[in-house]
């Protein structure tokens, strides 16, 4: 399986959206559907699903995932990490949709009550050390050893190097999109990512794109 760095993946994203003309909201919906498909195909306890969403596109994926699960009658809580007033437009649009569905955001959730956690806090764009408050939350979640599904990459893992940016949420399964990320196969990234599943959501690679050389990684690939 070909692996890409965060910068390479960003080029592929931009080409798909800006040159091909694929609306970003369509890619978000496809990403959410892919994660929900993995959830449905696995043996996960869905008694209480907690979705942790950030303020960027990864967070928009999380909101869409929460909506799709809610529409299936699953007990789901959606909690934001960060000030929602600072969220990207992609997140705001998804929030408008869930309000029409009747899904109410949780102000604070008890990790102990969750039977499954969806990690949609930070995606591949993370390049700084996580804030101390978020590090503390992640360490608390890791301590109680809840089952976690990471969206694209576990929060706190550098998508290129696999290094930990202060703290990282340990995933049981990581559903990543388009290509495997090099950080999922380096340093502690491989250990913290769990079972990596690559899903095709319609991303297109530029015809003149040159891949860097990365080690291959054993992952499950879906089309």
């Amino acid at each position: 399986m070909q692996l890409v760095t965060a910068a390479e993946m960003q080029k592929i994203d931009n080409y798909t959206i800006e040159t091909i003309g694929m609306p970003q909201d369509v890619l978000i919906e496809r990403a959410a559907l892919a994660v929900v498909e993995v959830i449905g195909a696995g043996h996960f306890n869905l008694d209480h699903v907690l979705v942790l969403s950030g303020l960027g596109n990864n967070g928009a994926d999380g909101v869409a995932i929460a909506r799709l699960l809610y529409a299936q009658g699953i007990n789901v809580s959606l909690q934001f990490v960060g000030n929602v007033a600072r969220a990207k437009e992609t997140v705001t649009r998804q929030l408008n949709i869930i309000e029409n569905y009747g899904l109410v955001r949780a102000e604070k959730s008890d990790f102990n009550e969750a039977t499954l956690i969806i990690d949609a806090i930070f995606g591949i764009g993370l390049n700084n050390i996580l804030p101390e408050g978020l590090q503390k939350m992640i360490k608390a979640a890791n301590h109680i050893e809840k089952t976690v599904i990471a969206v694209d990459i576990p929060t706190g893992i550098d998508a290129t190097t696999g290094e930990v940016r202060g703290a990282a949420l340990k995933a049981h399964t990581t559903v990543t999109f388009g290509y495997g990320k090099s950080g999922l196969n380096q340093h502690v990234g491989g250990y913290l990512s769990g079972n990596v599943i690559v899903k095709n959501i319609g991303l297109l690679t530029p015809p003149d794109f040159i891949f860097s050389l990365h080690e291959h990684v054993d992952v499950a690939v879906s089309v």
Side-chain angles (χ1 to χ4, degrees):
M1 166 58 64
Q2 178 67 59
L3 304 178
V4 297
T5 65
E8 289 169 340
M9 195 67 236
Q10 190 62 58
K11 290 180 181 178
I12 294 171
D13 287 341
N14 291 341
Y15 176 76
T16 303
I17 295 167
E18 297 172 6
T19 302
I20 298 300
M22 178 72 73
Q24 191 159 32
D25 288 338
V26 172
L27 293 175
I28 288 170
E29 192 72 9
R30 288 182 175 179
L33 286 166
V35 174
V36 171
E37 181 182 29
V38 170
I39 293 172
H43 299 286
F44 299 104
N45 185 338
L46 304 182
D47 287 348
H48 183 188
V49 180
L50 171 60
V51 180
L52 300 174
S53 289
L55 306 178
N57 292 331
N58 196 253
D61 293 343
V63 180
I65 291 165
R67 166 173 49 83
L68 292 169
L69 294 174
Y70 179 79
Q72 293 180 11
I74 293 171
N75 179 22
V76 58
S77 296
L78 171 64
Q79 181 180 331
F80 268 90
V81 178
N83 185 351
V84 179
R86 298 172 53 195
K88 293 186 66 171
E89 289 184 3
T90 51
V91 176
T92 301
R93 287 195 293 270
Q94 291 296 329
L95 284 173
N96 291 336
I97 296 172
I98 67 164
E99 288 178 2
N100 293 330
Y101 268 70
L103 175 57
V104 178
R105 290 189 288 117
E107 292 300 323
K108 187 175 181 180
S109 299
D110 185 351
F111 287 163
N112 289 298
E113 295 180 355
T115 57
L116 176 66
I117 295 175
I118 308 299
D119 170 17
I121 305 172
F122 277 106
I124 64 171
L126 178 66
N127 51 24
N128 294 314
I129 300 297
L130 294 177
E132 289 186 10
L134 180 53
Q135 289 189 42
K136 183 177 180 180
M137 186 194 80
I138 286 173
K139 291 174 182 177
N142 286 339
H143 180 71
I144 58 177
E145 298 183 343
K146 291 292 182 177
T147 302
V148 175
I149 296 179
V151 179
D152 216 11
I153 193 162
T155 290
I157 294 295
D158 186 300
T160 298
T161 67
E163 296 173 325
V164 173
R165 295 292 188 171
L169 199 52
K170 186 179 185 303
H172 171 279
T173 299
T174 296
V175 184
T176 196
F177 311 119
Y179 293 98
K181 311 307 183 291
S182 57
L184 297 175
N185 193 40
Q186 299 184 64
H187 294 284
V188 297
Y191 167 72
L192 294 175
S193 300
N195 177 36
V196 178
I197 300 173
V198 180
K199 296 293 257 182
N200 179 357
I201 62 170
L203 294 165
L204 295 177
T205 306
D208 59 348
F209 190 84
I210 300 176
F211 288 97
S212 300
L213 294 176
H214 303 293
E215 295 181 6
H216 285 47
V217 60
D218 293 328
V219 297
V221 181
S222 299
V223 297

